[in-house]
Amino acid sequence: AAAGVSLVRLDLDDETTLPAAIDGCERIYVHGTAGDTKQLDEAEVERAEALAAAIAADGRVRHLVFNSYAAEADCGVRRIEQKHASEAVFAEIGNGLRTTNLRANLFMEELWKSYTRPAILKGKFPFSTPPDRVLYLTCVRDLGRIAGALLADGGGAGGTRTLNVASDALTAPQMAAAFAKAQGSACVHKKNMILYWTARLLLPDLYEVMRFYRTTEETTDIGRLDAEFPNALTPLARFLEETEWRDAKRTYEDLTRW
C-alpha cells in the first residue's frame, strides 16, 4: 500500500473475479492467459474471451498490452496460434480501447531450465537448428520494461499495434560461445537430431516448436526496437552475467530474485 499498489485476486477461470479486479483500471498488462505447462493449455483463448468480456462491460480500460509470440500466421504451432487467436479477441473489444501485442521470441530464461542447462554446463548446447540459422532471443524482463513504457505513455487512440520483441539475435554456435565465456569452460553446439526425430514420433507439441525454429522466416528489428526503447534490451552475454550463469548451484527458480 505504501508503494501505491493494491493487490486484487483475479482468476481467469472464474469469471466472477474479473469485474472487481479491473474496476478502476485504465491500463492493463496481460502477461498471459495460459500457464507455463508441458502439455498444451487449450483454455488459453477461452480465458482471453472472459477477460475481454469483462473489460468491454467495464468500459474504462483505455490500453491493453498483451504478451504474444512472434511467428507467421498459420505457423503450425498450436501454442503460438492460440496466442494469435487471443490477440484477435482483445482487438475486438472496441470502446476506443488500444491494444498492443508484444510478440516475444525464444525466451532466454528457457535456457535455465533443467532440460537445457545441465548439458550446456557440461560442454554441449543441444539445439536442432542448423549452425547458420539465426535465433531471436527475448529476455522476459525486457518485455516488462517495454510494456511499462507503453502503458506509461498512455497508448494514444484506439487500434491495434503488433510489435515483435527480441533482445539479441545469434546462431546456435554463437550462443554456445556465449555460454562458454559465461561459465568459464568449453561449450559447443550439437544438433540434437535424435530428440528431433523422437519428438516427431512421440511428442507432437515439442516437435511443432522444434520444427518452427528450424523453418520460421519471422524476423525482429532489434535496432528499431532499441531506438524506440533505449536501455530496455538485454543481450544474451549480459543476461548470463547478471543471472550468474557461472554458478552451477543456481537454478531456474533463482531467477525470481534476479
Side-chain angles (χ1 to χ4, degrees):
V5 176
S6 299
L7 298 180
V8 181
R9 179 183 176 275
L10 181 151
D11 184 348
L12 291 176
D13 291 318
D14 181 356
E15 296 181 13
T16 64
T17 69
L18 303 184
I22 66 173
D23 182 38
C25 291
E26 295 184 355
R27 305 166 194 178
I28 294 179
Y29 175 36
V30 182
H31 181 75
T33 57
D36 183 11
T37 57
K38 292 182 179 180
Q39 297 297 322
L40 180 68
D41 186 345
E42 297 182 352
E44 184 170 9
V45 179
E46 183 178 333
R47 295 188 190 107
E49 291 172 342
L51 180 58
I55 291 172
D58 182 87
R60 289 172 289 180
V61 180
R62 306 266 53 87
H63 190 189
L64 181 147
V65 176
F66 174 60
N67 279 3
S68 187
Y69 208 87
E72 305 90 341
D74 302 319
C75 65
V77 182
R78 287 170 293 171
R79 290 177 184 271
I80 298 176
E81 290 174 350
Q82 284 187 167
K83 294 189 182 303
H84 291 184
S86 296
E87 291 179 4
V89 169
F90 292 130
E92 293 174 359
I93 293 175
N95 293 339
L97 174 71
R98 179 168 184 79
T99 59
T100 303
N101 303 310
L102 296 182
R103 289 186 168 185
N105 288 270
L106 175 62
F107 285 117
M108 294 180 184
E109 288 76 7
E110 290 288 325
L111 303 169
W112 269 85
K113 291 190 174 179
S114 59
Y115 52 75
T116 307
R117 188 167 184 248
I120 297 173
L121 292 175
K122 292 178 181 178
K124 293 182 180 180
F125 174 40
F127 210 78
S128 65
T129 56
D132 60 346
R133 185 166 185 79
V134 173
L135 297 166
Y136 291 94
L137 307 170
T138 304
C139 174
V140 171
R141 183 177 67 176
D142 298 353
L143 272 181
R145 287 170 168 170
I146 292 172
L150 289 166
L151 292 172
D153 185 52
T160 299
R161 181 188 184 190
T162 298
L163 185 64
N164 287 2
V165 177
S167 312
D168 209 344
L170 301 168
T171 63
Q174 288 172 331
M175 292 173 65
F179 293 133
K181 183 176 181 180
Q183 63 197 34
S185 61
C187 183
V188 295
H189 169 231
K190 296 288 186 181
K191 289 175 63 177
N192 194 348
M193 297 309 296
I194 294 177
L195 177 59
Y196 181 77
W197 292 111
T198 300
R200 183 173 184 176
L201 293 173
L202 302 174
L203 304 167
D205 289 349
L206 177 59
Y207 174 70
E208 288 178 358
V209 174
M210 296 176 76
R211 180 184 59 190
F212 169 76
Y213 286 124
R214 289 173 59 86
T215 61
T216 181
E217 296 183 1
E218 187 76 4
T219 61
T220 296
D221 190 339
I222 296 178
R224 182 177 178 181
L225 196 67
D226 187 47
E228 183 173 356
F229 304 98
N231 304 314
L233 304 181
T234 307
L236 179 63
R238 180 149 56 89
F239 170 82
L240 296 175
E241 178 183 0
E242 292 183 0
T243 56
E244 300 179 50
W245 177 272
R246 180 186 292 264
D247 185 352
K249 295 180 181 180
R250 287 176 62 81
T251 66
Y252 174 74
E253 287 70 27
D254 290 318
L255 294 183
T256 60
R257 295 187 289 275
W258 173 45

